[in-house]
Amino acid sequence: MASNARFAEVASLAGDPARAAMLHALMDGRAFTASELARVARVTPQTASGHLAKMVAANLVQVEPQGRHRYHRLATPAVAQMIESIMQVASSLEMKRAAPVTGPRDAALRAARTCYDHLAGQLGVALADALVAGGYVALTRDAGMVTDAGITLFGEIGIVGMDAAALSAGHGKNGRVLCRPCLDWSERRPHLAGAVGAALCARAFDAGWIRRVEGTRGVTVTAAGRRIFCEGIGMRGFWLD
Amino acid sequence: MASNARFAEVASLAGDPARAAMLHALMDGRAFTASELARVARVTPQTASGHLAKMVAANLVQVEPQGRHRYHRLATPAVAQMIESIMQVASSLEMKRAAPVTGPRDAALRAARTCYDHLAGQLGVALADALVAGGYVALTRDAGMVTDAGITLFGEIGIVGMDAAALSAGHGKNGRVLCRPCLDWSERRPHLAGAVGAALCARAFDAGWIRRVEGTRGVTVTAAGRRIFCEGIGMRGFWLD
DNA sequence: GCCATGCTTCGGTCTGCGCCGAAACATTTG
DNA sequence: CAAATGTTTCGGCGCAGACCGAAGCATGGC
């Protein structure tokens, strides 16, 4: 059972509050400097540097020097998924214990945020609901599928090339695209993840439907986005309309 | 960022070597007594008791008193998935560092084992390969789907009622059963998980196709199992034939 | 009733590690 | 080259927590 030691090593790396805060921040998929991560973790730069060195050594985090800055990002999607699954368990623990004290910061994140490479929060859930209601996507607890109608819709709003990425192993049988559902830790309902979720999120940023809120993982929906999401996809309930 | 504390709490619980060993043992989905878990973690019963109390308080583990024994099991599937994803990251770290020293114990586990509620190892991968090759199942990195032919096959070998469980949210649109792929940490290839994988595994135990190896998470395939897997499902390459 | 067995609580020791201040090092800017 | 900024290394402090021995509770068998 030598692998047990690696398991404990990885988990305990994520188990320190400062490192957990950094990993949490890195969950939006962007890269940050050591000082930025030091701020979010509320430790001094030298402490953060030590933490980051450990996580880089364990291949949780990748570092990319650029001038006098060193940009850190999550090393692999597997790391993001691990963090996601820990958040999952942690949030169910939270519900079990007590109603959490929710600051305005948390409220903004709950409304709309990125989850590594896809959209989450009320926005992510509302989009998934709309896609399911419109017959564009079918979701179960375990998996998801984009229907023919969904492929058409995605093509109309400019999401292409998804099939190739999502069907690597399934070689397009039945002309359907499989995708991954992700239980939202704040909403406790599924949203769209995986290659399809990532493609949708990327397209939304590119087309200016959503914009990042500076300094957080939160996003805001632009007027153009509101039009697409409501009229194009049929999203309801995210705004009070 | 109050949720950050919960995250770190959960991760650090999994990050202690003794607790990691216990969680690892609990990954076969069965329940164990505190003393049994103390043995696998190589600590004294009183130490194990303390660890288990913490994990129960954090809702990682469920306890069920039965006479003078107290049986512990993983509290939820979400916990199992978390452990799985940590193993994922840990095993990729292992490959990165050095060729692992593989004992005979590890070899047996690599051949065939349970992964919480489904089959993994070379057996799990070979079964998934056969199901894909036969057109019974389509798998991508993100998700999977049982085809019509697959539903027929599963019905023939006695797996029923899967639809209801697997299609809770998808309400059977297109008559397809969605399922979850799971990247095998020892084989680095996907096997069948989720509700469908669990149903297949449960049926295999019930029908006597596989049996547990006492004291480990490993399983062996019986003669009946070999017949079903090879002739019924078309599995190849697990045995040298 | 008694003893054996499984489990937990308590008290004390000790290692590990997170933290910061100070200082060195690197890189860009002026 | 010097100054400013980002980052790392080093050394020492202090606390959290993992561990075990011993003793205290339960439960089941006799």
Side-chain angles (χ1 to χ4, degrees):
Chain A
M1 292 286 184
S3 68
N4 197 16
R6 306 290 184 199
F7 178 97
E9 181 187 346
V10 169
S12 79
L13 277 174
D16 174 80
R19 284 191 296 258
M22 296 181 190
L23 290 173
H24 207 113
L26 290 170
M27 269 302 278
D28 75 355
R30 283 180 298 175
F32 293 93
T33 67
S35 325
E36 287 173 320
L37 292 170
R39 259 198 307 283
V40 310
R42 303 177 180 283
V43 292
T44 59
Q46 64 268 33
T47 299
S49 174
H51 285 313
L52 287 167
K54 283 175 194 172
M55 292 198 285
V56 167
N59 208 33
L60 293 189
V61 168
Q62 237 174 5
V63 61
E64 188 180 335
Q66 233 172 69
R68 63 179 159 187
H69 297 276
R70 303 192 68 195
Y71 283 96
H72 298 79
R73 67 173 71 252
L74 296 185
T76 67
V79 176
Q81 200 157 344
M82 174 185 87
I83 295 170
E84 191 184 295
S85 70
I86 299 175
M87 289 199 312
Q88 203 65 244
V89 173
S91 77
S92 72
L93 171 60
E94 193 144 12
M95 318 212 77
K96 193 115 189 176
R97 289 241 247 264
V101 190
T102 84
R105 180 90 163 237
D106 286 334
L109 280 188
R110 230 193 308 285
R113 64 175 180 278
T114 52
C115 177
Y116 189 54
D117 60 4
H118 56 272
L119 292 171
Q122 287 155 11
L123 175 64
V125 169
L127 275 173
D129 283 348
L131 289 168
V132 168
Y136 304 121
V137 166
L139 284 181
T140 70
R141 192 171 50 75
D142 286 335
M145 182 176 68
V146 181
T147 64
D148 294 331
I151 292 174
T152 305
L153 173 71
F154 283 164
E156 283 170 5
I157 64 177
I159 299 173
V160 291
M162 192 178 54
D163 311 62
L167 279 177
S168 55
H171 35 70
K173 278 207 186 72
N174 312 292
R176 294 220 168 50
V177 181
L178 299 174
C179 62
R180 187 166 74 84
C182 172
L183 192 61
D184 200 281
W185 58 260
S186 61
E187 300 302 304
R188 314 292 303 164
R189 309 238 344 266
H191 58 248
L192 211 55
V196 174
L200 177 58
C201 178
R203 173 68 181 141
F205 275 119
D206 284 350
W209 301 338
I210 56 177
R211 247 195 287 280
R212 289 195 185 279
V213 178
E214 209 47 52
T216 76
R217 281 172 49 207
V219 300
T220 54
V221 180
T222 64
R226 182 166 180 165
R227 203 171 324 116
I228 286 282
F229 292 161
C230 291
E231 292 163 28
I233 299 182
M235 187 176 76
R236 293 281 176 276
F238 180 67
W239 293 278
L240 304 172
D241 55 7
Chain B
M1 291 286 184
S3 69
N4 197 15
R6 306 293 183 198
F7 178 98
E9 181 187 347
V10 169
S12 80
L13 278 174
D16 174 79
R19 284 191 296 259
M22 296 181 191
L23 291 173
H24 207 113
L26 290 170
M27 269 302 278
D28 76 353
R30 283 181 298 175
F32 293 93
T33 66
S35 327
E36 287 172 321
L37 292 171
R39 260 198 306 283
V40 310
R42 303 178 181 282
V43 291
T44 58
Q46 63 267 34
T47 299
S49 175
H51 284 313
L52 287 167
K54 282 176 193 171
M55 293 198 285
V56 167
N59 208 32
L60 293 190
V61 168
Q62 237 175 6
V63 62
E64 188 180 336
Q66 231 171 71
R68 62 178 158 185
H69 297 277
R70 303 193 68 195
Y71 284 97
H72 297 80
R73 66 173 71 251
L74 296 185
T76 67
V79 176
Q81 200 158 343
M82 175 185 85
I83 295 170
E84 192 184 294
S85 69
I86 298 175
M87 288 199 313
Q88 203 66 244
V89 172
S91 78
S92 71
L93 171 60
E94 194 144 11
M95 318 211 79
K96 194 117 190 173
R97 288 240 248 264
V101 190
T102 84
R105 179 89 164 237
D106 285 334
L109 279 188
R110 231 193 309 284
R113 65 175 180 277
T114 51
C115 177
Y116 188 54
D117 60 3
H118 57 271
L119 292 171
Q122 286 156 11
L123 175 64
V125 170
L127 275 173
D129 283 348
L131 290 167
V132 168
Y136 304 122
V137 165
L139 283 182
T140 70
R141 194 171 50 76
D142 285 335
M145 182 175 69
V146 181
T147 64
D148 294 332
I151 292 174
T152 304
L153 173 71
F154 283 164
E156 282 169 6
I157 64 177
I159 300 173
V160 290
M162 194 179 52
D163 311 63
L167 280 177
S168 53
H171 34 68
K173 276 208 187 73
N174 312 292
R176 297 233 164 41
V177 180
L178 299 175
C179 62
R180 186 166 73 84
C182 172
L183 193 61
D184 200 282
W185 58 261
S186 62
E187 301 300 305
R188 315 292 300 165
R189 310 237 343 266
H191 58 249
L192 210 57
V196 174
L200 177 58
C201 178
R203 172 69 180 141
F205 275 119
D206 284 351
W209 301 338
I210 56 177
R211 245 195 289 279
R212 289 196 185 279
V213 177
E214 210 46 53
T216 76
R217 280 172 50 205
V219 299
T220 55
V221 181
T222 64
R226 183 167 178 165
R227 202 173 324 118
I228 286 282
F229 291 161
C230 290
E231 292 162 30
I233 299 182
M235 188 176 76
R236 294 280 175 276
F238 180 67
W239 294 278
L240 305 173
D241 54 7

PDB file of all heavy atoms in Angstrom, chain B residues 28 47 58 61 84 90 100 119 137 146 154 172 182 190 193 206 209 211 213 215 230:
ATOM      1  N   ASP B  28     -14.349  -0.127  -0.542  1.00  0.00           N
ATOM      2  CA  ASP B  28     -15.012  -1.239  -1.203  1.00  0.00           C
ATOM      3  C   ASP B  28     -16.502  -1.278  -0.881  1.00  0.00           C
ATOM      4  O   ASP B  28     -17.199  -2.191  -1.296  1.00  0.00           O
ATOM      5  CB  ASP B  28     -14.316  -2.569  -0.912  1.00  0.00           C
ATOM      6  CG  ASP B  28     -14.616  -3.078   0.472  1.00  0.00           C
ATOM      7  OD1 ASP B  28     -15.240  -2.348   1.237  1.00  0.00           O
ATOM      8  OD2 ASP B  28     -14.209  -4.203   0.776  1.00  0.00           O
ATOM      9  N   THR B  47      -6.502   4.948  19.033  1.00  0.00           N
ATOM     10  CA  THR B  47      -6.182   5.974  18.038  1.00  0.00           C
ATOM     11  C   THR B  47      -7.189   5.942  16.901  1.00  0.00           C
ATOM     12  O   THR B  47      -7.721   6.977  16.479  1.00  0.00           O
ATOM     13  CB  THR B  47      -4.771   5.744  17.484  1.00  0.00           C
ATOM     14  OG1 THR B  47      -3.838   5.828  18.558  1.00  0.00           O
ATOM     15  CG2 THR B  47      -4.420   6.772  16.442  1.00  0.00           C
ATOM     16  N   ALA B  58     -17.636  14.773  10.908  1.00  0.00           N
ATOM     17  CA  ALA B  58     -17.570  15.548   9.663  1.00  0.00           C
ATOM     18  C   ALA B  58     -18.437  14.932   8.580  1.00  0.00           C
ATOM     19  O   ALA B  58     -18.429  15.397   7.439  1.00  0.00           O
ATOM     20  CB  ALA B  58     -16.130  15.641   9.182  1.00  0.00           C
ATOM     21  N   VAL B  61     -18.008   9.583   7.330  1.00  0.00           N
ATOM     22  CA  VAL B  61     -18.231   8.180   7.652  1.00  0.00           C
ATOM     23  C   VAL B  61     -19.511   8.060   8.459  1.00  0.00           C
ATOM     24  O   VAL B  61     -19.835   8.945   9.258  1.00  0.00           O
ATOM     25  CB  VAL B  61     -17.021   7.629   8.450  1.00  0.00           C
ATOM     26  CG1 VAL B  61     -17.339   6.281   9.059  1.00  0.00           C
ATOM     27  CG2 VAL B  61     -15.798   7.543   7.555  1.00  0.00           C
ATOM     28  N   GLU B  84     -12.038   8.877  -4.704  1.00  0.00           N
ATOM     29  CA  GLU B  84     -11.636   8.439  -6.031  1.00  0.00           C
ATOM     30  C   GLU B  84     -10.846   9.524  -6.753  1.00  0.00           C
ATOM     31  O   GLU B  84      -9.811   9.252  -7.365  1.00  0.00           O
ATOM     32  CB  GLU B  84     -12.921   8.118  -6.800  1.00  0.00           C
ATOM     33  CG  GLU B  84     -12.755   7.392  -8.088  1.00  0.00           C
ATOM     34  CD  GLU B  84     -14.122   7.252  -8.740  1.00  0.00           C
ATOM     35  OE1 GLU B  84     -14.976   6.536  -8.188  1.00  0.00           O
ATOM     36  OE2 GLU B  84     -14.349   7.880  -9.783  1.00  0.00           O
ATOM     37  N   ALA B  90      -3.360  11.485  -6.984  1.00  0.00           N
ATOM     38  CA  ALA B  90      -2.216  10.869  -6.311  1.00  0.00           C
ATOM     39  C   ALA B  90      -1.522   9.872  -7.229  1.00  0.00           C
ATOM     40  O   ALA B  90      -0.289   9.787  -7.237  1.00  0.00           O
ATOM     41  CB  ALA B  90      -2.676  10.175  -5.027  1.00  0.00           C
ATOM     42  N   PRO B 100       6.467   2.679  -9.389  1.00  0.00           N
ATOM     43  CA  PRO B 100       6.113   2.233  -8.043  1.00  0.00           C
ATOM     44  C   PRO B 100       6.590   0.802  -7.799  1.00  0.00           C
ATOM     45  O   PRO B 100       6.620  -0.011  -8.710  1.00  0.00           O
ATOM     46  CB  PRO B 100       4.593   2.303  -8.046  1.00  0.00           C
ATOM     47  CG  PRO B 100       4.219   2.155  -9.482  1.00  0.00           C
ATOM     48  CD  PRO B 100       5.315   2.781 -10.269  1.00  0.00           C
ATOM     49  N   LEU B 119     -16.926  -2.150 -10.492  1.00  0.00           N
ATOM     50  CA  LEU B 119     -15.722  -2.942 -10.715  1.00  0.00           C
ATOM     51  C   LEU B 119     -14.621  -2.109 -11.357  1.00  0.00           C
ATOM     52  O   LEU B 119     -14.873  -1.316 -12.257  1.00  0.00           O
ATOM     53  CB  LEU B 119     -16.042  -4.138 -11.621  1.00  0.00           C
ATOM     54  CG  LEU B 119     -16.952  -5.180 -10.973  1.00  0.00           C
ATOM     55  CD1 LEU B 119     -17.384  -6.210 -12.005  1.00  0.00           C
ATOM     56  CD2 LEU B 119     -16.235  -5.850  -9.812  1.00  0.00           C
ATOM     57  N   VAL B 137     -22.256   0.003 -25.214  1.00  0.00           N
ATOM     58  CA  VAL B 137     -22.048   1.206 -24.404  1.00  0.00           C
ATOM     59  C   VAL B 137     -21.176   2.166 -25.199  1.00  0.00           C
ATOM     60  O   VAL B 137     -20.278   1.736 -25.924  1.00  0.00           O
ATOM     61  CB  VAL B 137     -21.346   0.836 -23.071  1.00  0.00           C
ATOM     62  CG1 VAL B 137     -20.804   2.077 -22.383  1.00  0.00           C
ATOM     63  CG2 VAL B 137     -22.299   0.100 -22.135  1.00  0.00           C
ATOM     64  N   VAL B 146     -25.653   3.859 -22.402  1.00  0.00           N
ATOM     65  CA  VAL B 146     -25.958   2.481 -22.767  1.00  0.00           C
ATOM     66  C   VAL B 146     -26.856   2.520 -23.999  1.00  0.00           C
ATOM     67  O   VAL B 146     -27.872   3.215 -24.009  1.00  0.00           O
ATOM     68  CB  VAL B 146     -26.668   1.753 -21.617  1.00  0.00           C
ATOM     69  CG1 VAL B 146     -26.945   0.314 -22.002  1.00  0.00           C
ATOM     70  CG2 VAL B 146     -25.822   1.802 -20.357  1.00  0.00           C
ATOM     71  N   PHE B 154     -28.084  -6.239 -21.157  1.00  0.00           N
ATOM     72  CA  PHE B 154     -28.171  -6.184 -19.698  1.00  0.00           C
ATOM     73  C   PHE B 154     -29.424  -6.916 -19.212  1.00  0.00           C
ATOM     74  O   PHE B 154     -29.410  -7.581 -18.182  1.00  0.00           O
ATOM     75  CB  PHE B 154     -28.162  -4.738 -19.215  1.00  0.00           C
ATOM     76  CG  PHE B 154     -26.793  -4.113 -19.241  1.00  0.00           C
ATOM     77  CD1 PHE B 154     -26.629  -2.734 -19.165  1.00  0.00           C
ATOM     78  CD2 PHE B 154     -25.649  -4.901 -19.328  1.00  0.00           C
ATOM     79  CE1 PHE B 154     -25.366  -2.157 -19.189  1.00  0.00           C
ATOM     80  CE2 PHE B 154     -24.393  -4.335 -19.358  1.00  0.00           C
ATOM     81  CZ  PHE B 154     -24.244  -2.960 -19.288  1.00  0.00           C
ATOM     82  N   GLY B 172     -35.927   9.583 -19.200  1.00  0.00           N
ATOM     83  CA  GLY B 172     -35.984   8.633 -20.288  1.00  0.00           C
ATOM     84  C   GLY B 172     -36.076   9.173 -21.699  1.00  0.00           C
ATOM     85  O   GLY B 172     -36.390   8.434 -22.621  1.00  0.00           O
ATOM     86  N   CYS B 182     -15.220   6.204 -15.371  1.00  0.00           N
ATOM     87  CA  CYS B 182     -14.349   6.486 -14.229  1.00  0.00           C
ATOM     88  C   CYS B 182     -12.946   6.084 -14.641  1.00  0.00           C
ATOM     89  O   CYS B 182     -12.715   4.934 -15.017  1.00  0.00           O
ATOM     90  CB  CYS B 182     -14.813   5.661 -13.025  1.00  0.00           C
ATOM     91  SG  CYS B 182     -13.720   5.735 -11.608  1.00  0.00           S
ATOM     92  N   PRO B 190     -10.625   4.179 -18.889  1.00  0.00           N
ATOM     93  CA  PRO B 190     -11.931   4.299 -18.245  1.00  0.00           C
ATOM     94  C   PRO B 190     -12.602   2.946 -18.005  1.00  0.00           C
ATOM     95  O   PRO B 190     -12.409   2.000 -18.770  1.00  0.00           O
ATOM     96  CB  PRO B 190     -12.749   5.118 -19.244  1.00  0.00           C
ATOM     97  CG  PRO B 190     -12.105   4.860 -20.553  1.00  0.00           C
ATOM     98  CD  PRO B 190     -10.645   4.632 -20.267  1.00  0.00           C
ATOM     99  N   ALA B 193     -18.774   3.224 -14.289  1.00  0.00           N
ATOM    100  CA  ALA B 193     -19.129   3.579 -12.917  1.00  0.00           C
ATOM    101  C   ALA B 193     -20.570   4.070 -12.886  1.00  0.00           C
ATOM    102  O   ALA B 193     -21.328   3.833 -13.816  1.00  0.00           O
ATOM    103  CB  ALA B 193     -18.176   4.642 -12.395  1.00  0.00           C
ATOM    104  N   ASP B 206     -24.265 -11.083  -6.914  1.00  0.00           N
ATOM    105  CA  ASP B 206     -25.468 -11.874  -6.652  1.00  0.00           C
ATOM    106  C   ASP B 206     -25.446 -13.190  -7.418  1.00  0.00           C
ATOM    107  O   ASP B 206     -25.797 -14.233  -6.884  1.00  0.00           O
ATOM    108  CB  ASP B 206     -26.721 -11.084  -7.063  1.00  0.00           C
ATOM    109  CG  ASP B 206     -27.046 -10.016  -6.037  1.00  0.00           C
ATOM    110  OD1 ASP B 206     -26.413 -10.029  -4.964  1.00  0.00           O
ATOM    111  OD2 ASP B 206     -27.918  -9.162  -6.316  1.00  0.00           O
ATOM    112  N   TRP B 209     -20.759 -14.487 -10.169  1.00  0.00           N
ATOM    113  CA  TRP B 209     -19.762 -14.374 -11.238  1.00  0.00           C
ATOM    114  C   TRP B 209     -18.409 -13.946 -10.667  1.00  0.00           C
ATOM    115  O   TRP B 209     -17.363 -14.250 -11.216  1.00  0.00           O
ATOM    116  CB  TRP B 209     -20.197 -13.353 -12.284  1.00  0.00           C
ATOM    117  CG  TRP B 209     -21.503 -13.690 -12.928  1.00  0.00           C
ATOM    118  CD1 TRP B 209     -22.076 -14.926 -13.004  1.00  0.00           C
ATOM    119  CD2 TRP B 209     -22.407 -12.793 -13.566  1.00  0.00           C
ATOM    120  NE1 TRP B 209     -23.268 -14.863 -13.656  1.00  0.00           N
ATOM    121  CE2 TRP B 209     -23.505 -13.561 -14.019  1.00  0.00           C
ATOM    122  CE3 TRP B 209     -22.402 -11.417 -13.820  1.00  0.00           C
ATOM    123  CZ2 TRP B 209     -24.577 -12.989 -14.698  1.00  0.00           C
ATOM    124  CZ3 TRP B 209     -23.463 -10.855 -14.490  1.00  0.00           C
ATOM    125  CH2 TRP B 209     -24.548 -11.632 -14.922  1.00  0.00           C
ATOM    126  N   ARG B 211     -16.258 -13.093  -6.744  1.00  0.00           N
ATOM    127  CA  ARG B 211     -16.250 -13.269  -5.296  1.00  0.00           C
ATOM    128  C   ARG B 211     -15.182 -12.376  -4.699  1.00  0.00           C
ATOM    129  O   ARG B 211     -14.133 -12.163  -5.317  1.00  0.00           O
ATOM    130  CB  ARG B 211     -15.940 -14.733  -4.961  1.00  0.00           C
ATOM    131  CG  ARG B 211     -17.089 -15.455  -4.283  1.00  0.00           C
ATOM    132  CD  ARG B 211     -16.635 -16.746  -3.666  1.00  0.00           C
ATOM    133  NE  ARG B 211     -16.312 -17.773  -4.649  1.00  0.00           N
ATOM    134  CZ  ARG B 211     -17.234 -18.549  -5.263  1.00  0.00           C
ATOM    135  NH1 ARG B 211     -18.500 -18.392  -4.977  1.00  0.00           N
ATOM    136  NH2 ARG B 211     -16.867 -19.452  -6.139  1.00  0.00           N
ATOM    137  N   VAL B 213     -12.073 -11.352  -2.427  1.00  0.00           N
ATOM    138  CA  VAL B 213     -10.911 -11.968  -1.799  1.00  0.00           C
ATOM    139  C   VAL B 213     -10.899 -11.486  -0.357  1.00  0.00           C
ATOM    140  O   VAL B 213     -10.870 -10.275  -0.106  1.00  0.00           O
ATOM    141  CB  VAL B 213      -9.609 -11.542  -2.501  1.00  0.00           C
ATOM    142  CG1 VAL B 213      -8.418 -12.148  -1.787  1.00  0.00           C
ATOM    143  CG2 VAL B 213      -9.641 -11.961  -3.955  1.00  0.00           C
ATOM    144  N   GLY B 215     -10.512 -10.004   3.039  1.00  0.00           N
ATOM    145  CA  GLY B 215      -9.588  -9.061   3.661  1.00  0.00           C
ATOM    146  C   GLY B 215      -9.026  -7.993   2.743  1.00  0.00           C
ATOM    147  O   GLY B 215      -8.241  -7.160   3.176  1.00  0.00           O
ATOM    148  N   CYS B 230     -16.927 -13.625 -20.954  1.00  0.00           N
ATOM    149  CA  CYS B 230     -16.305 -13.893 -22.250  1.00  0.00           C
ATOM    150  C   CYS B 230     -17.349 -14.143 -23.333  1.00  0.00           C
ATOM    151  O   CYS B 230     -17.335 -13.497 -24.384  1.00  0.00           O
ATOM    152  CB  CYS B 230     -15.360 -15.087 -22.159  1.00  0.00           C
ATOM    153  SG  CYS B 230     -13.879 -14.739 -21.195  1.00  0.00           S
TER     154      CYS B 230
END
